[in-house]
Amino acid sequence: MTSSEHTSKQFDAELEAVRARVLQMGGLVEEQIRLAVEALLSGDSELSNSVVNNDHAVNALEVAIDEDCSTIIARRQPTAGDLRMIMTVVKTITDLERIGDEAAKIARMARLIGGNDRLTQPRFHEIRRMAGMAAEMLHKALDAFARLDITASAEVVRQDQLVDDEFRGILRHLITFMMEDPRTISASIEILFTAKAIERIGDHSKNICEYVIYMVKGKDVRHTSVEEIEREIMG
């Protein structure tokens, strides 16, 4: 084996290690979301506290992976596809960290709402459904990142519209609820903040998929329509 081949294999191993850590961070964030929603629906304050307290672990992984990427850039001076991979990783971990923040926000809202059923069960049913959709988006986004699957990425981008529709539906219901009974305003606002946090999880998951498309196609598809993205991946 020549020296250049050895260096190339080392570089590939470093890139693979970074990708693996991104997926590790993604798995941690997925668990944070699951526990936060469970705490909200069950009124379990201890579970809420554990989600808030564990947010530092997500932050620590972001810092560590970012440092790894900086080291690779300094030592390897990557170009073309390798540089796009590093940029995709850096952007992805930023969105994962923000998803972790949204999970902690849901957990904090769960503490405020507590076990007091001040809102009717359908609101919690809608939150559960919306949270399930956003969690599915994140799972698909991480899978697309792992496999560099641009078709799956485009599906997640389209799915974000459904999560947005769910949020708007919950918003309309809560406004009606508050107008009919002003005593529910405080509880309704807490649920609204929770729904917005879930909607943001969908947005960040969509962002990750846009980075995957950039990685594979070399085209920045941010701020473009779903139809344009679908045309791009077919090209």
Side-chain angles (χ1 to χ4, degrees):
M1 182 184 296
T2 67
S3 176
S4 62
E5 286 175 330
H6 181 69
T7 301
S8 177
K9 285 184 180 297
Q10 281 184 322
F11 185 24
D12 289 342
E14 289 169 6
L15 287 177
E16 232 5 84
V18 165
R19 277 163 52 90
R21 293 194 80 181
V22 173
L23 295 174
Q24 176 193 357
M25 183 180 178
L28 177 58
V29 169
E30 282 190 290
E31 181 69 359
Q32 286 281 91
I33 295 170
R34 186 186 70 79
L35 294 176
V37 173
E38 183 181 326
L40 175 71
L41 298 175
S42 66
D44 187 334
S45 60
E46 288 188 13
L47 192 55
S48 299
N49 291 337
S50 72
V51 172
V52 173
N53 293 336
N54 284 339
D55 187 50
H56 73 89
V58 177
N59 298 340
L61 268 173
E62 183 200 16
V63 171
I65 296 169
D66 196 44
E67 288 176 352
D68 288 345
C69 290
S70 296
T71 300
I72 290 173
I73 290 172
R75 290 177 56 198
R76 305 297 186 186
Q77 298 180 336
T79 58
D82 291 333
L83 182 58
R84 288 207 305 272
M85 171 55 74
I86 294 296
M87 291 176 66
T88 297
V89 166
V90 170
K91 290 174 180 291
T92 295
I93 60 174
T94 298
D95 276 277
L96 286 175
E97 188 274 332
R98 289 175 180 167
I99 292 174
D101 288 345
E102 299 299 340
K105 191 181 298 179
I106 293 169
R108 285 193 290 272
M109 287 297 107
R111 286 193 302 208
L112 289 175
I113 295 166
N116 192 356
D117 190 18
R118 291 173 291 174
L119 291 181
T120 58
Q121 191 61 30
R123 295 294 82 75
F124 285 102
H125 173 71
E126 290 162 6
I127 288 289
R128 181 189 288 111
R129 183 175 66 216
M130 185 182 175
M133 293 169 65
E136 182 185 12
M137 282 182 66
L138 176 57
H139 188 75
K140 286 182 177 178
L142 291 169
D143 190 52
F145 172 84
R147 297 186 291 112
L148 298 180
D149 187 336
I150 57 174
T151 301
S153 296
E155 290 172 2
V156 172
V157 173
R158 182 168 286 282
Q159 193 173 351
D160 185 53
Q161 295 179 338
L162 300 178
V163 174
D164 291 346
D165 289 343
E166 285 288 321
F167 173 73
R168 284 190 287 269
I170 290 173
L171 176 59
R172 284 194 299 271
H173 289 147
L174 289 173
I175 289 173
T176 301
F177 211 69
M178 288 185 283
M179 289 174 66
E180 290 177 351
D181 186 354
R183 293 173 300 176
T184 66
I185 289 175
S186 177
S188 295
I189 288 173
E190 289 159 4
I191 288 292
L192 179 57
F193 280 140
T194 302
K196 184 61 181 177
I198 295 170
E199 188 262 343
R200 292 296 297 146
I201 289 170
D203 288 344
H204 290 302
S205 300
K206 180 192 74 167
N207 290 348
I208 291 170
C209 287
E210 289 174 347
Y211 307 148
V212 171
I213 295 170
Y214 164 74
M215 164 64 212
V216 175
K217 303 289 286 186
K219 175 74 178 292
D220 189 343
V221 295
R222 292 175 298 174
H223 314 301
T224 59
S225 69
V226 177
E227 291 73 24
E228 288 177 281
I229 290 173
E230 289 172 341
R231 284 195 296 272
E232 178 63 35
I233 69 170
M234 293 298 289

